[in-house]
Amino acid sequence: MAQSSIYQQVLDPAHRADPYPLYAELRKTPVTREDDGTYVVSTYDELFALLHDPRVSSDPRNQPGLADGTAAPDQGQPDHALSFINRDPPDHDRLRELAMRPFGPPNTPGRIDDMRPWLTEITTGLIDKFAGKNRVDIVDDFAYPLPVTAICQLLGVPLEDQPRFHQWADGLIETLDPGTGTVEQRARKRDQVHADLAEYFSHLVDSRTSQPGDDLLSGMLTDRGPHAPMSREDVLATAGLLLVAGHETTVNLITNGMLTLLRQPDVLDRLNHEPTLIITFVEELLRFEPPVQMRTNRATVADIDIAGTTIPKGSPLALMIAAGNRDPSRFADPDHFDPGRADNAHLSFFGGIHYCFGAPLARTEAQIALSELARRLVNPRLVADPPPYRPNPELRGPRHLLVEYDSVAPARKEAGAVR
Ligand code: HEM
């Protein structure tokens, strides 16, 4: 029997708890070709170059095998419109700019900072519920509810509708797990959730069009700046994209953060004594345990010469970001977790035109969540190491993270304490 390639081994769920030795093997040949024609790229400089290369397309219509124009299955947009993560310039740039204007500087500078007190309040409320127990699941009881609530708040989903969003987000994530049914069953479920989401957003768009609020959805609908207006279809596709792109990624960042802190109690202790360390801690976490480990959604639209190999036009790419983040030719002592690392240009939010739109929000959420968990759980311990992982090799994270503790310290009086 032919031996499976290193890339195939990375895809095998048996290696989910610790894929890093396989990434080190991959890096020995920066660009390799799989039997199905996929080019696997694993070194920092080559990844960086391809992320910035206009000859690389994110449009699924350029993916061999997805030539019918349907969207890649994990992107979360209704079938009738491709969201901008799946588009190339000039459409990508126009739609991203329209979505960016109500999201942050220079047009809406206070958007994320204004969410801090409110995010702290949600975090505090979730940790308050841990009191009176001595064991919780950080995934289900904490990391899950926080990002979906944040995205609802950002989009302007009314509080009373938010439980439905939690169900939809759970439903979408469930469909990524091969253990929950056949490919067809999962595709059907995903289509159903997308249809429910599209119907919900459609009503919300109607109500925000007639009565705009101070939220992102209203901002996209009422923008009169360059490239406006954004079509209703594109607003719907963008809303779906934000929910999917911003949810499981952030769940995994928070969960990986708690796992890392519990594996290294000295770092946890340092964080409690040096609260500003949280900024570089979260960056190092992103580098060390990236929630998006790899992406397979790109293809070349011209021949590209790289690292002594020619990747022919029309080839699917597997960009192994997590391998690049541990490349010793870019990072000193890359397998060491250094919470104060200064030179840390990791690739976890990618780079180039598709650089993560939600990075400022993800960072803020993780900073608040992890410093509050570190401060309030008294004598926290891991119940199982490694914890059970989801099988997904791209969005990698624990399915559960059981933690025991002695008690819960009281909440801080002031909100928005992490600055
Ligand atoms: C730790 C959390 C997160 C990580 C690691 C992460 C990572 C990424 C990565 C790697 C990409 C590039 C994907 C690609 O081009 O194929 C991306 C794009 C994107 N992310 Fe995030 N993300 C996170 C959180 C968020 C949040 C909270 C939001 C929404 C508020 C968000 C919204 C987006 C959007 C809209 C794009 C598409 C950008 C474009 O195509 O121009 N992300 N993210």
Side-chain angles (χ1 to χ4, degrees), residues 350-390:
F350 274 28
I353 61 168
H354 292 284
Y355 181 83
C356 177
F357 174 94
L361 176 59
R363 287 186 163 113
T364 305
E365 281 181 55
Q367 288 164 10
I368 293 173
L370 292 169
S371 32
E372 286 299 296
L373 280 175
R375 198 182 61 77
R376 293 191 63 196
L377 295 189
V378 178
N379 189 21
R381 285 104 50 194
L382 275 178
V383 172
D385 191 4
Y389 276 78
R390 285 178 209 287

Side-chain angles (χ1 to χ4, degrees), residues 49-59 62 87-89 297-302 304 311 315 317 319 353-354:
L50 290 175
L51 287 173
H52 292 82
D53 195 319
R55 296 168 295 175
V56 172
S57 167
S58 290
D59 188 326
N62 288 320
R87 295 207 195 201
D88 296 331
N297 62 335
R298 283 161 168 77
T300 50
V301 291
I304 298 180
I311 305 180
S315 304
L317 299 176
L319 301 182
I353 61 168
H354 292 284

Side-chain angles (χ1 to χ4, degrees), residues 58 75 84-86 92 96 103 151 154 241-242 245-247 249-250 253 286 290-292 295 297-298 347-350 353-359 361-362 365:
S58 290
Q75 301 309 332
F84 59 86
I85 198 170
N86 285 322
H92 166 272
R96 181 175 166 125
F103 186 61
I151 292 165
L154 183 70
L241 168 64
L242 292 183
H247 186 234
T249 46
T250 315
L253 182 61
L286 281 157
V292 181
R295 290 288 280 155
N297 62 335
R298 283 161 168 77
L347 299 172
S348 300
F349 290 127
F350 274 28
I353 61 168
H354 292 284
Y355 181 83
C356 177
F357 174 94
L361 176 59
E365 281 181 55

Side-chain angles (χ1 to χ4, degrees), residues 4-12 15-16 19-34 38-44 46-47 293-296 307 309 317-328 393:
S4 63
S5 67
I6 299 168
Y7 176 64
Q8 291 299 328
Q9 293 176 52
V10 169
L11 300 185
D12 181 346
H15 296 290
R16 202 61 64 243
Y20 298 101
L22 290 171
Y23 295 145
E25 283 298 309
L26 270 183
R27 278 193 307 267
K28 289 181 182 164
T29 316
V31 180
T32 55
R33 186 183 181 281
E34 288 293 300
T38 299
Y39 281 79
V40 181
V41 184
S42 55
T43 40
Y44 187 94
E46 283 64 32
L47 286 162
Q293 298 255 305
M294 56 186 270
R295 290 288 280 155
T296 52
T309 302
L317 299 176
L319 301 182
M320 311 304 286
I321 294 305
N325 278 352
R326 301 237 191 157
D327 186 339

